[in-house]
């Protein structure tokens, strides 16, 4: 995995290369579009300049998105990248709307002209260079797992595809069908809008915590199933944060194991998931002694007494001649809305009856065990 500073340098270097190419392409398209009377090529040049704006946005956003978590952003800054990709999508839709409106006006006007042949060569040059930029940027985006760079790569691809449409329109217009040039511009606008919508919608889904694919969930469950100490998994929830994913889940273990063993099992789950799934950056594991998916934590009826309250009740009902403090250990197990109490007493108290006053009114006590221990003096 790349170091964060190295990743940022790689993203920004890739984006700067794309920005330089966009400036050159935009100038060629606008100049040749103007002098060759090609509306489609001129509009395509404006589209290339819009790529430059998104390149600047990528550089700014990547600087902030990989910052370490802080007090105001305890889960990190990855969603700056999400917002950046969404802004790029919205910007593409706006550009597409302006292109479509302007081109539609020309289709129904009497100002149609025949473009010059030089515009066709510029369109071909744009197709080749933009397709190379798409492949180069997408390769880096995949290696760095950057959603905003992937969005920018698709922006390059829309420029390549739009140039193909422009070339077809130019050839048609040069053959005498002048209306094909502005129609090609409208087709370009629709293509740009489609890519913009996909980018914006996908990142909106992330902002509202849409779960990742079922295949990703299945991958998590397979890794957990390899730990035999875990009986079941429930309440498994994921949410994306930029290129990363946050996970929280409940695991069910044997009900009478120690707290430290349950904690160790939880640590084992966290370790395996973080080391085997690169996208995961945070895993929160809740250890359960039983299945509690339907447990109503808002209801007082489901809340059993804690240790301090239970000991207070036992002390109040203690009847034995021995000191209550003779009890070496009190183990409390919570199971199926009931409590199992286990008292460990000195062997000398073995056979002693009536340790406690009646507890029939305590319907939450499921079982009461008394064990005795001995020790060498």
């Amino acid at each position: 995995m790349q170091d964060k500073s190295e990743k940022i340098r790689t993203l920004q270097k890739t984006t700067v290369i794309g920005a330089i190419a966009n400036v050159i392409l935009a100038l060629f398209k606008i100049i040749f579009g103007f002098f060759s009377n090609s509306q489609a090529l001129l509009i395509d040049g404006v589209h290339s300049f819009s790529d430059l704006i998104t390149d600047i946005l990528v550089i700014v956003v990547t600087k902030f998105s990989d910052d370490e978590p802080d007090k105001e952003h305890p889960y990190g800054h990855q969603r700056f990248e999400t917002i950046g990709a969404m802004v790029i999508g919205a910007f593409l839709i706006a550009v597409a709307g302006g292109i479509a409106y302007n081109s539609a006006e020309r289709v129904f006007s009497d100002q149609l002209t025949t473009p010059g042949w030089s515009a066709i060569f510029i369109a071909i040059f744009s197709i080749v260079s933009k397709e190379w930029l798409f492949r180069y940027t997408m390769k880096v985006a995949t290696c760095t797992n950057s959603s905003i760079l992937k969005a920018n790569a698709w922006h390059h691809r829309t420029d390549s595809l739009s140039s193909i449409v422009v070339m077809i329109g130019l050839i048609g217009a040069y053959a005498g069908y002048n209306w094909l040039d502005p129609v090609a511009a409208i087709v370009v606008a629709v293509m740009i809008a489609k890519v913009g919508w996909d980018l914006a919608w996908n990142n909106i889904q992330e902002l509202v915590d849409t779960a990742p694919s079922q295949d990703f969930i299945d991958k998590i469950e397979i890794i957990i199933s390899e730990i035999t100490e875990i009986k079941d998994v429930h309440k498994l929830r994921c949410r994306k944060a930029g290129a990363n994913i946050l996970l929280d889940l409940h695991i069910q273990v044997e009900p009478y194991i120690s707290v430290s063993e349950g904690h160790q099992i939880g640590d084992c789950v966290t370790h395996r998931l973080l080391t085997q799934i690169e996208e995961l950056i945070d895993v929160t594991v809740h250890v359960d002694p039983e299945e509690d998916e339907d447990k109503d934590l808002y209801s007082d009826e489901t809340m059993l007494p804690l240790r301090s309250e239970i000991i207070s009740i036992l002390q109040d009902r203690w009847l034995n001649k021995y000191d209550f403090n003779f009890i070496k250990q009190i183990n409390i197990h919570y199971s199926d809305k009931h409590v199992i109490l286990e008292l460990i007493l000195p062997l000398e108290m073995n056979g002693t009856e009536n340790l406690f006053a009646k507890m029939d009114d305590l319907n939450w006590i499921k079982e009461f065990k008394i064990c005795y221990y001995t020790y060498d003096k």
Side-chain angles (χ1 to χ4, degrees):
M1 186 182 294
Q2 278 186 316
D3 177 75
K4 282 191 174 182
S5 58
E6 182 183 349
K7 176 183 174 181
I8 293 173
R9 285 195 298 270
T10 302
L11 295 177
Q12 293 185 344
K13 175 186 174 183
T14 305
T15 306
V16 168
I17 292 172
I20 294 172
N22 284 328
V23 171
I24 296 171
L25 281 172
L27 289 174
F28 270 102
K29 289 177 184 179
I30 289 175
I31 292 171
F32 278 88
F34 178 78
F35 286 106
S36 63
N37 296 315
S38 172
Q39 175 73 7
L41 189 62
L42 193 62
I43 293 300
D44 207 25
V46 174
H47 182 203
S48 293
F49 263 127
S50 75
D51 284 359
L52 179 62
I53 296 174
T54 59
D55 288 336
I56 295 171
L57 180 63
V58 170
I59 292 172
V60 174
V61 169
T62 52
K63 179 175 176 57
F64 293 103
S65 63
D66 277 323
D67 284 353
E68 294 293 336
D70 53 33
K71 186 176 180 180
E72 288 76 22
H73 306 91
Y75 288 99
H77 301 75
Q78 293 86 357
R79 284 194 171 172
F80 278 103
E81 191 168 316
T82 306
I83 294 171
M86 192 170 66
V87 170
I88 290 176
F91 184 77
L92 286 174
I93 294 172
V95 169
I99 292 172
Y101 178 79
N102 185 269
S103 300
E105 280 190 327
R106 287 182 60 85
V107 170
F108 298 104
S109 71
D110 55 357
Q111 301 176 2
L112 295 175
T113 56
T114 302
W117 59 268
S118 59
I120 297 176
F121 291 102
I122 297 299
I124 294 173
F125 175 69
S126 175
I127 293 168
V128 174
S129 57
K130 274 298 187 175
E131 184 62 22
W132 177 84
L133 272 176
F134 165 76
R135 293 175 183 273
Y136 170 67
T137 305
M138 184 58 75
K139 181 180 179 180
V140 175
T142 302
C143 291
T144 58
N145 199 24
S146 171
S147 60
I148 192 169
L149 199 61
K150 287 179 182 178
N152 209 32
W154 279 109
H155 200 173
H156 291 317
R157 169 57 68 83
T158 62
D159 216 357
S160 174
L161 295 175
S162 66
S163 293
I164 293 175
V165 176
V166 169
M167 184 182 68
I168 295 171
L170 287 170
I171 293 172
Y174 192 68
Y177 302 98
N178 293 356
W179 51 270
L180 275 177
D181 185 55
V183 167
I186 295 175
V187 174
V188 170
V190 173
M191 293 169 59
I192 295 171
K194 174 62 170 59
V195 173
W197 170 257
D198 289 343
L199 285 175
W201 179 247
N202 290 338
N203 285 279
I204 287 172
Q205 295 298 301
E206 181 177 324
L207 288 179
V208 296
D209 288 335
T210 301
S213 68
Q214 186 58 47
D215 289 342
F216 186 84
I217 302 297
D218 291 342
K219 185 177 180 180
I220 292 173
E221 292 179 341
I222 289 172
I223 293 173
I224 296 174
S225 68
E226 296 170 352
I227 303 174
T228 56
E229 287 78 5
I230 297 175
K231 297 171 63 178
D232 188 32
V233 179
H234 53 278
K235 292 186 179 179
L236 193 157
R237 299 180 297 180
C238 297
R239 54 196 175 101
K240 293 195 68 178
N244 302 314
I245 294 178
L246 311 176
L247 166 67
D248 60 87
L249 72 157
H250 288 222
I251 59 172
Q252 184 182 344
V253 299
E254 289 294 335
Y256 302 122
I257 63 175
S258 66
V259 173
S260 60
E261 184 180 356
H263 180 76
Q264 180 61 28
I265 294 171
D267 281 352
C268 180
V269 172
T270 301
H271 170 73
R272 292 196 184 186
L273 290 173
L274 289 176
T275 55
Q276 295 183 39
I277 303 179
E278 185 178 357
E279 296 92 334
L280 286 176
I281 60 166
D282 185 85
V283 177
T284 302
V285 180
H286 183 96
V287 182
D288 292 329
E290 60 187 6
E291 198 282 318
D292 66 345
E293 192 164 4
D294 298 325
K295 187 173 183 180
D296 183 7
L297 296 178
Y298 291 96
S299 171
D300 292 336
E301 296 178 1
T302 63
M303 291 296 102
L304 294 167
L306 297 177
R307 172 176 287 270
S308 58
E309 186 178 349
I310 290 174
I311 291 178
S312 177
I313 292 172
L314 294 178
Q315 287 176 327
D316 289 342
R317 304 195 182 199
W318 179 257
L319 298 177
N320 197 268
K321 62 180 180 179
Y322 296 100
D323 190 334
F324 182 83
N325 293 324
F326 273 33
I327 299 176
K328 180 183 180 182
Q329 187 172 330
I330 299 176
N331 296 326
I332 303 171
H333 303 288
Y334 295 89
S335 174
D336 192 25
K337 301 180 182 179
H338 292 89
V339 173
I340 298 175
L341 291 176
E342 183 180 83
L343 273 61
I344 300 178
L345 306 176
L347 185 61
E348 62 191 83
M349 296 178 65
N350 189 10
T352 305
E353 298 179 354
N354 300 323
L355 292 174
F356 298 96
K358 285 188 176 182
M359 296 190 183
D360 297 344
D361 58 316
L362 303 177
N363 56 11
W364 44 268
I365 296 182
K366 181 180 181 181
E367 192 174 350
F368 201 100
K369 298 179 180 179
I370 298 180
C371 304
Y372 299 92
Y373 74 96
T374 184
Y375 58 90
D376 295 329
K377 294 184 178 180

